[in-house]
């Protein structure tokens, strides 16, 4: 795939993944399985640290808002980077898995910094 403009970079970066996934149904299932496992692990991480911090009060409200901010930034970044012409549903799965993972990582860092 030839890069002619900046908007072609995501396509060029993810075209080999598309080619690999379309080679066999097993490759496609591996890609979906990895995305689903990443999504489940991210949800568990974010939920665990959300519950460890406790109910929302003036101390934790700022942490929860900032974790939502990181989630939003990750979604916007993934919308810019991931191609929309092909495999949109797979990249949709990875976009939200990465967004929840960013939220969970921020919550884990803040928990370690503020609560331990």
């Amino acid at each position: 795939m030839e890069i002619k403009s900046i908007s072609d970079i995501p396509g060029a970066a993810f075209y080999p993944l598309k080619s690999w996934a379309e080679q066999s149904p097993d490759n496609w299932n591996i890609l979906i399985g990895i995305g689903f496992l990443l999504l489940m692990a991210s949800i568990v991480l974010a939920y665990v640290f959300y519950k460890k911090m406790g109910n929302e009060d003036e101390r934790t409200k700022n942490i929860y808002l900032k974790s939502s901010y990181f989630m939003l930034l990750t979604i916007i970044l993934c919308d810019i980077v991931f191609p929309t012409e092909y495999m949109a549903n797979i990249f949709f799965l990875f976009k939200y898995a990465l967004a929840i993972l960013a939220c969970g990582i921020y919550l884990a860092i803040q928990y370690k910094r503020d609560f331990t």
Side-chain angles (χ1 to χ4, degrees):
M1 179 172 230
E2 186 178 326
I3 299 175
K4 294 180 182 176
S5 70
I6 296 226
S7 62
D8 294 339
I9 292 174
F14 292 104
Y15 189 77
L17 179 64
K18 176 186 182 265
S19 299
W20 175 79
E22 291 177 346
Q23 282 179 357
S24 76
D26 289 338
N27 292 352
W28 189 258
N29 291 336
I30 289 170
L31 189 62
I32 292 173
I34 290 171
F36 188 71
L37 288 175
L38 180 63
L39 179 67
M40 290 296 112
S42 300
I43 289 171
V44 167
L45 177 72
Y47 181 76
V48 164
F49 283 103
Y50 180 79
K51 283 299 183 183
K52 277 186 171 187
M53 286 189 193
N55 293 335
E56 187 173 322
D57 57 13
E58 56 274 347
R59 178 178 48 113
T60 59
K61 183 178 181 181
N62 220 6
I63 294 171
Y64 294 150
L65 287 174
K66 202 157 190 181
S67 70
S68 298
Y69 174 72
F70 281 114
M71 188 182 290
L72 177 66
L73 284 179
T74 305
I75 290 171
I76 292 170
L77 181 67
C78 288
D79 280 339
I80 293 170
V81 172
F82 288 157
T84 57
E85 295 83 34
Y86 52 86
M87 294 177 28
N89 290 334
I90 297 297
F91 290 125
F92 185 77
L93 171 70
F94 278 100
K95 173 174 63 173
Y96 285 101
L98 291 173
I100 296 170
L101 182 65
C103 172
I105 289 172
Y106 177 76
L107 289 174
I109 290 170
Q110 284 302 114
Y111 180 80
K112 183 148 176 93
R113 183 180 299 157
D114 295 345
F115 295 95
T116 56

